[in-house]
Amino acid sequence: MPKGVVTVSRSRGGRGFRPVALCLAGLSPAVVTETLFGLAVARRPPVIPDEVHILTTGAAYPSVAGRLLGPEGALARLRRDYRLPADRLRCDPSRVHLLRDGRGRPIDDIRSALGSRAAGECIRSVVRQLAHDPATELHCSLAGGRKTMSALLATALQLHGRPQDRLYHVLVSEPFERVADFLYPPRRPVRCRVDGRWVSTRQAQVVLVEIPFVALGTVTRRLGYEELDLEALAAELEAEATGRLSPDPLVVDLEARQVLIGDRPVRLPPRELALYVLYAEARRACRRASCGEGDRCERCHLGDDEIHDRRERLCGLYTHAGGRGRPGWAEASAESADALDAFRAWLLQTRSRINDAIRRALGPGPRGARYAVAPMDRTGGDRRGRRGLGVPPGAITVRVGRARAAAG
């Protein structure tokens, strides 16, 4: 390790991934080469990125491209200087990403809320694209550019990043951060003139600090939120976390013929209410610890055949909820394939009406989704899959007639 170089690193995740660097750059592109020097030369063990991607503004692009790219650019010199593999640190104009506004025009500087929102979308889009490949690990540097860009990159990486991804800040000792020609500590020290005196790059210190962050990319993909913009995605994940920690109580009241979620009533017709009671009772009875934290399991999610076996119970609940007569499926033979198919079709329609009513009352999003009748894996599943509620069992109360079954 060259003299005077310091790295502060926190190990996270295993190896075996293909490293890709993503750097911010403003009018001082040296932060890119300083970051890469910290990763590829100073770090132990070294990380030599295959590719280098740069996020920059329209005003900074000429300096970034002119000083860093090409066979005589700083990236090529760093590779030759420290004898790094010729196929690493690949960067061409296609990997320099310009921040653009809503009309596709380059953003020269971020000086408004509108510009910040547009820049955030550009940064989120690049992070999402690079994180889409499961074989890669991102090494992101938030040094460079305006502080707004740094905050946006950190947020985008949190929302789309994986456990193997990393975030850094790079610091350079005085006076070298003010030396225009200093791009990284060269292998052979040179003298630079600054503030009227000569200094040797032998004294330069590059400090690469790994910044901890919460990688939520797996959650983003599991919930199907990858297409949301940065602001909406952050709001949805916050709602997901808040809802999991403090869910609104669910009261299914057959006497009052309503569902109450917190202080919001959800009116359901007798057939929908009767079916919802079955799902609520199954969930409320679950004692699995992970379900108490909002997970789902086979014990508290019912298959269509199980609902069919409980037709008499379902019919009684329907009558108690104010329904008149007996539905046709109540008399259907369990041995009839046509009757089973008709019953499953009725379940599909009824669940859809239940979920539409809940969405109308609560609005879209993860907080309301846990009160809907949903598949265990949240990906849809086939129509015979197991379905149920996602609200923790301890938050559920079911009231049926004079005999009340309440959450203990």
Side-chain angles (χ1 to χ4, degrees):
M1 182 182 298
K3 182 179 178 181
V5 175
V6 178
T7 61
V8 180
S9 178
R10 182 175 64 88
S11 176
R12 189 174 83 186
R15 309 312 305 166
F17 296 99
R18 183 172 67 86
V20 173
L22 176 61
C23 301
L24 297 174
L27 296 175
S28 178
V31 294
V32 176
T33 44
E34 289 159 358
T35 297
L36 296 173
F37 171 83
L39 286 171
V41 179
R43 194 181 189 276
R44 291 294 180 268
V47 172
I48 309 175
D50 282 3
E51 305 173 16
V52 178
H53 291 258
I54 303 171
L55 286 156
T56 192
T57 62
Y61 179 83
S63 178
V64 169
R67 298 187 68 185
L68 298 181
L69 307 187
E72 298 305 318
L75 294 179
R77 296 203 306 273
L78 173 63
R79 190 167 48 237
R80 291 194 299 267
D81 198 359
Y82 285 95
R83 298 170 185 163
L84 303 176
D87 61 344
R88 302 293 184 91
L89 304 186
R90 298 190 304 273
C91 189
D92 54 42
S94 70
R95 295 184 174 98
V96 180
H97 307 274
L98 276 175
L99 302 184
R100 298 181 182 274
D101 63 18
R103 298 182 179 179
R105 299 172 300 189
I107 298 174
D108 286 336
D109 198 1
I110 303 174
R111 292 189 175 276
S112 69
L114 193 62
S116 175
R117 190 175 299 112
E121 274 311 288
C122 294
I123 293 171
R124 184 198 68 84
S125 177
V126 172
V127 171
R128 179 197 167 202
Q129 174 189 347
L130 295 178
H132 187 70
D133 185 352
T136 64
E137 62 179 14
L138 301 185
H139 294 265
C140 301
S141 172
L142 48 72
R146 288 202 174 270
K147 292 179 180 178
T148 302
M149 293 168 62
S150 300
L152 291 170
L153 175 58
T155 300
L157 188 62
Q158 282 190 319
L159 299 180
H160 288 285
R162 295 80 48 89
Q164 67 264 30
D165 299 327
R166 292 172 171 80
L167 181 65
Y168 305 94
H169 187 38
V170 63
L171 303 171
V172 180
S173 60
E174 282 280 2
F176 295 96
E177 63 178 4
R178 294 183 288 107
V179 176
D181 294 332
F182 181 83
L183 294 170
Y184 62 88
R187 194 169 181 214
R188 293 185 177 180
V190 297
R191 285 160 56 84
C192 306
R193 188 169 180 81
V194 58
D195 296 337
R197 61 190 178 93
W198 290 96
V199 293
S200 171
T201 57
R202 188 184 301 275
Q203 277 72 52
Q205 287 193 340
V206 175
V207 181
L208 186 64
V209 181
E210 186 175 346
I211 307 297
F213 70 96
V214 180
L216 298 174
T218 302
V219 178
T220 297
R221 287 184 289 277
R222 177 170 59 84
L223 295 175
Y225 291 159
E226 287 187 285
E227 299 294 336
L228 295 180
D229 63 39
L230 195 64
E231 185 175 342
L233 177 54
E236 290 292 353
L237 289 184
E238 181 181 3
E240 174 74 12
T242 303
R244 179 174 290 250
L245 293 174
S246 55
D248 288 328
L250 169 65
V251 178
V252 184
D253 195 333
L254 214 61
E255 287 181 302
R257 300 178 186 178
Q258 73 173 11
V259 173
L260 196 65
I261 300 176
D263 58 357
R264 287 157 293 186
V266 181
R267 296 290 179 179
L268 294 176
R271 293 187 185 187
E272 286 75 13
L273 182 56
L275 180 60
Y276 197 70
V277 167
L278 287 187
Y279 287 113
E281 286 180 333
R283 180 65 166 176
R284 183 185 60 81
C286 188
R287 293 296 178 263
R288 197 161 177 256
S290 60
C291 288
E293 298 175 358
D295 286 345
R296 299 167 181 260
C297 77
E298 291 190 0
R299 299 178 188 176
C300 55
H301 283 57
L302 303 175
D304 289 357
D305 290 345
E306 290 173 288
I307 298 289
H308 185 263
D309 292 341
R310 303 181 191 185
R311 286 175 298 154
E312 285 303 317
R313 166 83 172 144
L314 186 58
C315 213
L317 293 171
Y318 165 72
T319 301
H320 209 75
R324 295 180 179 275
R326 286 174 66 85
W329 46 257
E331 307 298 339
S333 170
E335 304 300 324
S336 168
D338 290 342
L340 284 172
D341 285 342
F343 182 75
R344 291 185 181 116
W346 175 83
L347 283 179
L348 183 65
Q349 294 172 354
T350 306
R351 281 193 297 258
S352 178
R353 288 193 289 266
I354 290 171
N355 293 342
D356 286 345
I358 290 173
R359 278 191 291 270
R360 285 194 298 270
L362 303 181
R367 188 154 193 155
R370 61 172 42 89
Y371 297 92
V373 182
M376 282 179 55
D377 60 4
R378 297 190 182 186
T379 62
D382 81 325
R383 64 178 187 150
R384 292 184 175 90
R386 307 184 75 84
R387 292 170 171 82
L389 309 185
V391 62
I396 299 175
T397 298
V398 180
R399 295 174 182 157
V400 180
R402 294 182 178 180
R404 298 189 178 187

